[in-house]
Amino acid sequence: MPRASDEKTRPSIFWPLAGIVVPLVGLLAKIEIEGAEHLPREGAFVLAPNHCSEIDPVIVAVATWRMGRAPRFMAKESLFRVPVVGWALRATGMVPVARSASAAAARQTLKSSAELVAHGRGVIVYPEGSLTRDPDLWPMRGKTGAVRLALTRDIPVIPLAHWGVQEIMPRYGRLRLWPPRRRVRVLVGPPVDLDEYRRTRSQPTTLAAATDRVMHDVAVLLGRLRGESPPLERWNPATHGQRETGRLDS
């Protein structure tokens, strides 16, 4: 495993959190990481994983910590105004995100991106926006939030795929405590090549194309873990009568 970053070796609120969470997760999952060298040791980054289980953010957080970086996620802006919860989010450097496409949301993206660069922090962003609706758990169509944040300040987007978490907690299922330490494989890829999108980074068509590039790289990594070829066309919930959030429609 590559050396830890300064943000991990420097005392912070992540130390007591890791002291509790890492051993507990170790009882559920045996996490095997490949490609850790692709995650920057210092500086800002956007980590883009696939999303197939409600518990996989915990797995990704532990994997990120083991790779030497502090795991930070995007959180709804409204949560930052909740007493105690808001303090905890700010103390750990979580990144607020507005749910609308308003001018205020655009300003929030600019501010969040600038702060990531200024503090040399990374953030974990699920480009799908919710659990995949694909029946075979392949990454579905992505949303533009991750690339919008990254392209604003030329922050690298690092694709990540994991497989095995669905055996611990199936999508919309219950947590399985037995057998313990199920194998979970994590594969990190090199930064997504987004150079061709930087000149027109604010255009909706550019953001959509860049997002598709990110989802392609994540799907390829997942295909390597599964020993299969990902589908040529990504699942689009709208064309299958499914909601973008909530449970799968019956």
Side-chain angles (χ1 to χ4, degrees), residues 192-221:
V192 182
D193 184 3
L194 298 177
D195 287 345
E196 65 181 283
Y197 306 109
R198 300 193 188 284
R199 289 184 58 191
T200 56
R201 66 188 70 187
S202 61
Q203 296 182 9
T205 54
T206 296
L207 293 171
T211 298
D212 193 57
R213 176 70 60 84
V214 172
M215 297 313 304
H216 170 270
D217 285 12
V218 174
V220 168
L221 292 176

Side-chain angles (χ1 to χ4, degrees), residues 13 15 49 61 69 98 103 125 128 149 158 169 179 183 198-199 209:
I13 193 173
W15 280 19
R69 297 301 302 264
V125 183
E128 295 167 90
L149 183 67
I158 312 299
M169 188 172 186
R183 186 188 189 199
R198 300 193 188 284
R199 289 184 58 191

Side-chain angles (χ1 to χ4, degrees), residues 18-98:
I20 297 171
V21 175
V22 173
L24 289 177
V25 171
L27 297 175
L28 294 174
K30 180 183 179 183
I31 303 175
E32 301 174 0
I33 303 171
E34 182 182 349
E37 68 275 7
H38 295 304
L39 189 68
R41 296 282 72 80
E42 306 292 342
F45 65 88
V46 173
L47 187 63
N50 62 311
H51 199 9
C52 61
S53 169
E54 286 96 333
I55 201 175
D56 64 47
V58 180
I59 299 295
V60 172
V62 170
T64 302
W65 182 255
R66 282 182 50 188
M67 287 188 286
R69 297 301 302 264
R72 296 180 174 90
F73 290 85
M74 275 191 161
K76 290 190 297 184
E77 187 181 29
S78 58
L79 292 176
F80 285 77
R81 296 191 291 270
V82 178
V84 182
V85 174
W87 173 87
L89 293 174
R90 286 188 291 272
T92 52
M94 300 300 169
V95 178
V97 58

Side-chain angles (χ1 to χ4, degrees), residues 207-245:
L207 293 171
T211 298
D212 193 57
R213 176 70 60 84
V214 172
M215 297 313 304
H216 170 270
D217 285 12
V218 174
V220 168
L221 292 176
L222 184 57
R224 287 173 54 186
L225 290 177
R226 296 173 58 166
E228 306 173 41
S229 297
L232 296 178
E233 185 175 347
R234 269 172 284 285
W235 188 267
N236 184 348
T239 62
H240 294 273
Q242 295 174 331
R243 294 170 296 181
E244 290 290 335
T245 59

Side-chain angles (χ1 to χ4, degrees), residues 51-52 128 130-134 137-140 171-172 248:
H51 199 9
C52 61
E128 295 167 90
S130 63
L131 289 174
T132 181
R133 305 305 196 259
D134 186 282
L137 300 182
W138 290 103
M140 63 177 180
R171 180 181 54 183
Y172 304 123
L248 287 167

Side-chain angles (χ1 to χ4, degrees), residues 136-176:
D136 296 320
L137 300 182
W138 290 103
M140 63 177 180
R141 184 189 62 172
K143 298 180 182 296
T144 61
V147 297
R148 191 187 302 272
L149 183 67
L151 288 174
T152 299
R153 291 276 176 158
D154 293 335
I155 299 173
V157 178
I158 312 299
L160 179 149
H162 55 77
W163 190 242
V165 183
Q166 74 285 349
E167 299 297 331
I168 300 172
M169 188 172 186
R171 180 181 54 183
Y172 304 123
R174 295 183 177 181
L175 184 66
R176 297 171 178 172

